[in-house]
Structures are given as C-alpha cells and as structure tokens.
C-alpha cells in the first residue's frame, strides 16, 4: 500500500519534470518474442553484471605491482617466501579476506560462463540468419564485444602473476613479438621492455578494470539500443510477419522472467564458485623467470589459439631477409582471419545467397544447408583446436606419445570438420521443407535421396 | 478442493521462503568464516528467487501472445529529402572556404600525430628492442650460478640431470637462463668450432624455447632430448639442440662454456645468436 503510494508519487514527480508518461508506456508495452534462444544474450549480459559486482570487490584487495614482498599471510607453504605484491595480495585475498576466495572463484567462473554465453548466442544468431539486413550493425557490435571480452578475460587471469598465467603472458609476448616489422616495438611498448619487465601487471590491471570493461559496457549499451530500435526478430509462425512482433510484454511477464534469469545466472555462478575450485594460484606458485607449470592450459576461450600454436608445423620463413617466426601464422594470422571472416559474414552470406532483402522473420537453420555446413565446420574446427590445447593431457589419458598425437590431430582438425560439415549439410537439406521433422525423426533414406525424388515416391 | 491459483501462489511463496532461509545460511557462513557455506547460501538464495520469479511470470501473469506493430526501419522518401534539403540550405559551412578548410585539416592532423608521441613513453629506462633482444647478460668470464645464486662447478652437473644456470648477479634475466647437460663427449655431434664450447661433455644451451619463449622444463635422459612444457617442442642435445619435434623451428642457441681459475663454470662470451622466441630481424 505504502509502496504503491510512494511509487505513484515518484512517477508524478518525474513526469512533472521530464514528461515521460507516454515514453514509458510504450516501453513497458514492448513485446518480446517467446523463445528460449532469445535468452542466450541475456545470460551473457547478466554474467557481465555478476563480473562487475564481484570484480569490484576484488579490486579493493588486489595490489597490481610486481615489486617483491615477503609473504606472511596464513597460507603456510608460502610463508616467508619472496614474491610479487600482485601474487601475494591474491593469495591473501584467497585465504585472509573473508569471502575473498568465494568472490574470486565466482568472478572467474562468471568469466567462463560469460564467454560461453557469447559464443552460444553468436551461434544462434548465425544459424538463424539474424545478422541479415537490417541487423548488420548489431552483428559488428557483437563480434567486437566477443573480441573485447576475450581480451579482458586474458588480462584478468594474467593479473595474479602466478606461474601458470606467467606462461600465458610469455606466449602472448612471443606472439606479439612475431609480428613482421612492428613486432619488437609492439611487444616492448606493451610490456615496457623485454619479458617479463615490471610494467605488464599494472598495465593489464588498468586494461582489465577500466579500459576494456568500459568498452564492453559501452558496446553493450549500443547493442541494446539498436535492439530496442530495431525490435527482436522472431521465428516463422502464425501471425509472425515482417510487420509484427509476437510475444510477451516487457511489463509484467517479461520483466519477471528476465529477473528470474538474472537470479538463475547468479545462482549458477555462486554454486560453481562455492563448490568447484578454479585457478588455485597458491598451488601453481609465484612467477619465476626460469620455470613454467606443466601441464599448462589457458582458459577455454583462448584454447583455440593455444591449440593452433601446438599443432601448427614448425614453419619460419624470411621476408626481405627478415625472420617471420613460428607463432606468426597460428597465433596472429589464424585468429586475425577468424575475426575478419566473422566481421564480414553478413556480406559473405549476402554474396553467396544473393539475398539482399530486409528480414524480421528468422530462417530456421534447415532452410540454409550451406550456412549450416559452414557453422558446423567452424564449431568443430575450433572445438578440435580447443581439444588440441590439452594434447599433453589427452596423450597421457590415451597413453600415446604426445608427438604422435600431434601428428594425428594435424590431420583430424582438417578432415573431421569437413566431414561433419557434409553431414550437417545433408541433414539440413533433408529437413528442409519438412517443418514437423527433427533430426531424430529423420531416416537414412531421407539423407541420401534429394527431397523432390522422395516426394514423388510417396 | 483447493483453488489452483492458491496452490501456485503457495509454491512461489515457498520458493521465496527457501531464499530467506538460504540468506540465513549465507549469513551463518560469513560469521563462521566458511566460504563454501557462504557461497551455497547465496547460490540457493538466488536459485529460490529464480524459481519463484519464473513461476510467477509463467503462472500468474497474463501470457499473451501480444502483437506489436513494427514500423519499417527506413524513413519515407519525403522525410529523407526534407533532411537533405535542411542540411543543404545553410548547412554547408565548408563550401567556398578552401583556405580555412585546408588549414583546419592540416592543424588537426598535426595535433593528432603529435598526440601519438607519448606512446613512446611506455618504454622507459630500458634499451630499445633491437639491442635488448640481441644480447643477454652473459659476457666472457661471467660465472654461471644456480637458481640459488651459488656458483656452479663441473662436478655439480651430474650425468642424466639438467641444471638451470643464470649469469652471476642476474637471476632475474629471463632471456639469459641456460641449461647445463652432461653427455658422453664422444657422441656429441657439434660443429667443430663449437666442440670447444663444452667442458668435459657439459653443454650449455639457452633455456628459453625458440618457439614462444617458455623455459625448457624437462631433460629426457634416455633420448638425450630437451623438452618444452608449453607446446611440446623437443630438441636433440647431441646435435646442437636441433628441434626434432613440435612447433619450434630453430635450435636452442649454445652458450660457449669454459672454466675459470677456481674451477667454476663461466661463459666465454654471449650466445652467438639471440635467445628465445624469434622476431623480425635480419637472419
Ligand atoms: S614455447 Fe616451447 S614449444 Fe612453444
């Protein structure tokens, strides 16, 4: 009762100054289509919220400096040893700050979920053709968000200056160094000298807590503003046309559902943070100039680059008598091409399909077998690269020499994605024009014979 | 018979009840300093809210479907024309003003370029890349010390083992780290001039992998190979640390080794080529 009275008072107060009633009325009546796949981007958004909340707590205790300190916290195995302030403060945060370990783990888990949600959301947009005109802008913004988030994830887990993340930084340094012409200067300017230098941790810190999250927040704002302006797409169905949006209203059903999703994301993040240990930096030990942890895997969202570095043959070549070192092709060119194709995809798709129209109704994936093939190829190719980032562990489990496994994987990453793409193409082609069928109800004959022939047979 | 709506309301209320209890758990976890209880309390609390709110949305609120009109995402031609003529009428400040316009472009570009200069400040107190990358801290006569800082003698290098050494006084010089391995001198197949760089079958190679700069972590004694933990490059100790597997393409540079008057292993000079990951250089 009182709340309602206060609410109405506040609404009148603002309306008397900003004349908002009609704007807000349109806003709360905004219609959102009902399909689970439209919530994927929201999972990413709410993971970002979780990251900002937990991350703010962490900044209050972390010391971004590489100067040596003697550790005297409560973790006995390290007591008395010398380490960087960054590492010492992270250990302290984990053992002596109440709630510190929990928030660290929730933060790290949320970062993994954040990037996973981005990838799944991006896949949904890809397979349903949601990037087509007029939504190219949001595709570009979204791909930029993806790249920025990978960079921020890397900056974040490199901060504690532990032995594992230092290994990642070495590789990042060497990859930067491998750039033709500008490599040495680029690496030296970023690291403030030869690896390790003393500047990289404070610099990554500024990037991780200010520059990159600021950029992410701004891009999220643009992404959503464009979304509101353009309204959601929707799947084909009764009454769903290029001139309508069909679904639930923002107020109240959608708002409640979205809040429920926020709480669910928080619940998963805290559940993982409470139960599943992640990045136990105290057991890796502090950075040492001549040591590396083994086995060493990066966080999953960089595993595809790491996998490429492992699999790529030892190729170095000379340009104008100058060395172009081994990490350049797998570490710079491959990721660069990946993002180039991602950015260009709306225009590639348009060139291939010849479809220049505006679309508010989504494709079902089966309507575009070629697009399905490309998507399946990409997911399996990068998935296999990710698997190769753990080739030492896989070799241990399979009890095969790791170099043999590398030789096998070099073939597998080329061949298997092509095979899977062909399967994806055949399945999509068989399902095209049969809206009721799913992969499960398909028969072998449907895959091999073209649809037209089968229809005649019936 | 209970009213179905009442039953739904009760279930939602129960979910929020669970959240309230979970909050008490989280509070207890905090007071007791039990991180797991604290986290589980939060997790359960948010889970209760999620379940309750989702049920509320699905079961108690109007579901639709609602239909909203979409206006075309393009302005009608008349509106476009109106804008164009508005901008064109007295909105062309750059027309017929060639001199100020050109000077404006010049001034802004000049300032823009100068504004990039401070990027160079990111590199301070250290030599420029070309020199820093080309050399390490080893000089003729520099003693080799272990990671504990103690000088290393030939007898410290046991057959089958790998010993990490640094130039004396420079335990922080990551690019200078080297490994000492003792092998049968008769089986060493080095270029003749580099045979003199060994001491009693002890060879010194750079410890920094030529692929992406990880420290070599393992000496496979039976195969007499050095292995990098990062991407599994393997180097043949007997053949001048030639890469024989994995993504590394160049051998580990060899450090010319000698002994000083007190029997301590010393360098006879710097590595003959830059150590560690490759970079844009004449080679
Ligand atoms: S850094 Fe040694 S194999 Fe890549």
């Amino acid at each position: 009762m009182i709340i309602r009275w206060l609410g109405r008072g506040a609404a009148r107060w603002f309306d008397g100054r900003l004349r908002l009633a009609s704007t807000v009325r349109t806003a709360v009546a905004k219609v959102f289509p009902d399909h689970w796949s439209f919530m994927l981007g929201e999972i990413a958004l709410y993971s970002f919220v979780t990251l900002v909340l937990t991350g703010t707590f962490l900044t209050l205790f972390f010391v971004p400096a590489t100067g040596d300190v003697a550790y005297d916290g409560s973790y006995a195995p390290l007591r008395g040893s010398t380490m960087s302030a960054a590492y010492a403060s992270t250990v302290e945060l984990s053992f002596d700050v109440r709630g510190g370990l929990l928030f660290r783990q929730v933060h790290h888990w949320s970062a993994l979920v954040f990037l996973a949600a981005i990838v799944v959301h991006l896949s949904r947009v890809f397979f349903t053709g949601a990037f087509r005109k007029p939504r190219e802008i949001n595709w570009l913004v979204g791909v930029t968000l993806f790249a920025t988030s990978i960079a921020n994830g890397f900056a974040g887990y490199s901060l504690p200056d532990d032995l594992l993340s230092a290994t990642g930084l070495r590789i990042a340094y060497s990859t930067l160094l491998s750039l033709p012409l500008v490599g040495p200067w680029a690496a030296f300017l970023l690291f403030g000298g030869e690896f390790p230098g003393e500047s990289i941790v404070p610099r990554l810190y500024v990037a991780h807590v200010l520059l990159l999250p600021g950029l992410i927040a701004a891009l999220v704002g643009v992404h959503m503003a464009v979304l509101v302006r353009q309204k959601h797409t929707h799947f084909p169905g009764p009454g769903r046309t290029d001139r309508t949006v069909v679904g639930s209203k923002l107020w109240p059903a959608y708002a409640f559902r979205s809040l429920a999703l926020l709480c669910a994301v928080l619940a998963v993040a805290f559940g993982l943070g409470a139960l599943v240990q992640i990045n136990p930096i105290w057991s890796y030990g502090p950075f040492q100039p001549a040591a590396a942890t083994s086995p060493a895997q990066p966080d999953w969202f960089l595993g595809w680059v790491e996998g490429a570095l492992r699999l790529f043959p030892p190729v170095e070549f000379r340009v104008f008598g100058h060395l172009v070192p081994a990490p350049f092709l797998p570490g710079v060119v491959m990721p660069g091409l990946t993002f180039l194709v991602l950015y260009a995809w709306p225009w590639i798709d348009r060139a291939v399909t010849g479809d220049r129209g505006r679309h508010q109704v989504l494709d079902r994936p089966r309507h575009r077998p070629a697009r399905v093939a490309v998507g399946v190829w990409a997911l399996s190719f990068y998935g296999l690269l990710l698997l190769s980032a753990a080739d030492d562990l896989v070799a241990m489990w399979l009890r095969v020499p790791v170099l043999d496994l590398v030789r096998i994987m070099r073939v597998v990453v080329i061949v298997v994605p092509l095979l899977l793409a062909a399967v994806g193409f055949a399945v999509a082609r068989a399902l095209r024009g049969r809206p009721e069928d799913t992969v499960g109800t398909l028969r072998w004959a449907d895959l091999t014979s073209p649809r037209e022939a089968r229809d005649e047979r019936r | 018979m209970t009213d179905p709506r009442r039953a739904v309301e009760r279930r939602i209320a129960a979910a929020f009840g669970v959240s309230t209890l979970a909050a008490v758990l989280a509070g207890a976890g905090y007071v007791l300093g039990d991180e797991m209880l604290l986290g589980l309390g939060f997790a359960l609390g948010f889970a209760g809210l999620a379940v309750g709110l989702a049920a509320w949305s699905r079961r108690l609120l109007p579901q639709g479907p609602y239909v909203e009109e979409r206006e075309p995402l393009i302005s009608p031609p008349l509106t476009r024309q109106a804008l164009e003529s508005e901008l064109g009428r007295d909105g062309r400040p750059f027309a017929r003003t060639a001199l100020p316009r050109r000077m404006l472009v010049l001034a802004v570009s000049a300032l823009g370029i100068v504004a990039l200069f401070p990027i160079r400040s990111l590199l301070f107190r250290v030599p420029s890349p070309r020199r820093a990358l080309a050399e390490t801290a080893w000089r003729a006569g520099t003693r080799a010390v272990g990671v504990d800082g103690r000088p290393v003698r030939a007898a410290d290098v046991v057959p089958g083992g790998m010993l990490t050494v640094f130039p004396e006084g420079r335990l922080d010089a990551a690019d200078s780290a080297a490994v000492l391995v003792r092998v049968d001198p008769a089986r060493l197949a080095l270029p003749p001039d580099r045979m003199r760089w060994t001491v009693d079958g002890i060879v010194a190679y750079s410890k920094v992998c030529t692929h992406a700069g990880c420290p070599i972590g393992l000496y496979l004694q039976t195969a007499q190979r050095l292995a990098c933990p990062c991407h599994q490059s393997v180097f043949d100790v007997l053949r001048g640390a030639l890469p024989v597997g994995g993504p590394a393409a160049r051998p580990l540079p060899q450090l010319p080794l000698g002994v000083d008057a007190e029997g301590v292993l010393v360098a006879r000079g710097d590595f003959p080529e830059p150590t560690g990951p490759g970079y844009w250089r004449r080679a």
Side-chain angles (χ1 to χ4, degrees), chain A residues 285-409:
Chain A
F287 167 75
Q288 299 163 33
T293 50
S294 176
Q297 272 70 37
D299 273 2
W300 79 266
F301 48 84
L302 274 172
W304 55 289
V305 184
E306 170 78 5
L309 283 171
R310 290 180 185 219
L311 292 191
F312 206 78
V315 179
E316 295 194 336
F317 53 94
R318 265 151 253 285
V319 174
F320 305 125
H322 285 71
L323 179 71
V324 178
F328 179 63
L329 291 175
V332 178
V333 172
M334 190 278 294
L337 277 179
T338 302
F339 272 91
L340 198 69
V341 171
L342 265 180
Y343 273 116
W345 184 259
W347 291 273
I348 298 174
D349 194 271
R350 175 192 294 201
V352 172
T353 59
D355 176 0
R356 335 192 98 237
R358 325 170 136 263
H359 297 277
Q360 309 295 348
V361 180
L362 294 172
D363 283 333
R364 293 184 75 186
R366 62 188 62 181
H367 293 154
R368 294 283 179 197
R371 194 190 285 146
V372 169
V374 172
V376 170
W377 176 85
L379 289 178
S380 45
F381 176 70
Y382 292 102
L384 285 167
L385 284 185
L386 175 58
L387 179 71
S388 308
D391 58 2
D392 42 353
L393 297 174
V394 176
M396 216 150 66
W397 290 327
L398 298 180
R399 295 168 192 281
V400 293
V402 65
L403 289 181
D404 292 349
L405 185 70
V406 167
R407 261 174 235 126
I408 296 168
M409 287 308 287

Side-chain angles (χ1 to χ4, degrees), chain B residues 158-273:
Chain B
V158 291
M162 174 183 98
L163 197 70
T164 300
V165 293
F166 282 93
E168 188 166 32
R170 288 303 309 277
L171 286 174
D172 61 323
D175 65 344
S176 311
V179 289
L180 303 181
V181 183
R182 187 192 282 273
V183 292
D184 179 359
R187 296 185 54 201
L188 262 179
L190 298 174
D193 53 325
R194 278 168 50 182
M195 284 305 280
R196 290 184 291 119
W197 292 0
T198 66
V199 174
D200 299 340
I202 302 175
V203 243
Y205 293 116
S206 163
K207 193 179 179 172
V208 194
C209 183
T210 54
H211 176 233
C214 285
I216 301 297
L218 199 64
Y219 176 50
L220 309 163
Q221 189 198 341
T222 38
Q224 315 213 46
R225 287 169 170 186
L226 289 165
C228 176
C230 280
H231 316 105
Q232 287 83 41
S233 285
V234 182
F235 303 89
D236 188 340
V237 171
L238 296 179
R239 286 189 291 151
L242 208 68
V244 288
R250 272 168 297 117
L252 301 166
Q254 187 185 346
L255 183 72
L257 211 56
V259 199
D260 72 4
E262 293 163 49
V264 174
L265 292 175
V266 295
R268 295 161 151 220
D270 201 352
F271 290 97
E273 64 249 46

Side-chain angles (χ1 to χ4, degrees), chain B residues 10-28:
Chain B
R10 270 204 215 104
R11 251 180 287 146
I12 296 173
F16 295 152
V18 169
S19 289
T20 315
L21 285 180
V24 176
L25 270 186

Side-chain angles (χ1 to χ4, degrees), chain A residues 366 369 424-433 446-451:
Chain A
R366 62 188 62 181
F425 184 88
V427 169
R429 195 187 51 176
L431 286 173
R432 183 165 56 176
D446 299 332
L447 283 183
T448 45
S449 61
R451 180 164 48 98

Side-chain angles (χ1 to χ4, degrees), chain A residues 31 98-99 102 167 174 181 194 203 231-232 242-247 253 290 310 316 318 321-323 325 360 391, chain B residues 30-31 35 43 46 50 57 66-68 70 122 132 171 175 207 212 230-232 248 250 277-278 280-281 283:
Chain A
V31 169
R98 196 166 284 193
L102 176 69
T167 307
S174 308
L181 204 64
E194 203 170 7
R203 286 176 190 182
K231 300 194 164 75
H232 277 74
D242 278 346
R243 322 224 61 195
T244 57
V245 194
V246 180
R310 290 180 185 219
E316 295 194 336
R318 265 151 253 285
H322 285 71
L323 179 71
Q360 309 295 348
D391 58 2
Chain B
Y30 187 82
V31 173
E35 303 269 317
F46 288 122
S57 171
Y66 297 94
V67 180
E68 193 181 358
R70 245 185 237 280
L122 289 174
L171 286 174
D175 65 344
K207 193 179 179 172
C230 280
H231 316 105
Q232 287 83 41
R250 272 168 297 117
W280 183 255
R281 64 161 188 261

Side-chain angles (χ1 to χ4, degrees), chain B residues 79-100:
Chain B
T79 319
R80 279 189 170 185
Q81 277 164 23
L83 174 65
E84 274 158 24
S85 65
E86 178 66 35
L87 288 176
R89 197 186 317 146
D90 35 29
R92 299 184 54 212
F94 293 116
R96 296 194 308 271
T97 50
L99 185 60

